[in-house]
Amino acid sequence: MSTSNLLTFDVWTGGNDLETEGLFLWSDGSPVPINGSWNEGDPNNYFGQQHCMELAEPHTLWNDMVCGLAALSICEFP
Ligand SMILES: [Ca+2]
Ligand SMILES: [Ca+2]
């Protein structure tokens, strides 16, 4: 898989609202900015089942998605 191919997949960011519906936190527990880079209409908690934040193609906006799907992840490092 080339690097360019990696960009054709949705990517997990680590943000989620598993603890409190609608309140998204990063995996370290810090809050996701309420006026962040959400796609228009998201987070929509579609069918009441979307609790994990992804970068969907073309990777410029956030979307809440069903957790547990196999996808690449991005990490923050110092
Ligand atoms: Ca949710
Ligand atoms: Ca969604």
Side-chain angles (χ1 to χ4, degrees):
M1 183 181 294
S2 72
T3 303
S4 60
N5 285 343
L6 292 175
L7 299 178
T8 65
F9 291 85
D10 294 356
V11 178
W12 293 125
T13 66
N16 68 81
D17 71 343
L18 289 165
E19 191 169 305
T20 303
E21 176 55 42
L23 179 62
F24 277 82
L25 303 175
W26 298 119
S27 52
D28 69 356
S30 61
V32 170
I34 192 79
N35 294 323
S37 298
W38 291 103
N39 187 34
E40 185 176 351
D42 285 300
N44 60 0
N45 199 38
Y46 197 58
F47 280 110
Q49 297 179 343
Q50 297 189 325
H51 311 302
C52 290
M53 184 201 297
E54 66 166 9
L55 279 172
E57 297 180 64
H59 303 118
T60 55
L61 297 171
W62 304 341
N63 173 42
D64 57 336
M65 178 51 74
V66 175
C67 302
L69 299 179
L72 299 172
S73 301
I74 57 173
C75 301
E76 180 183 14
F77 60 92

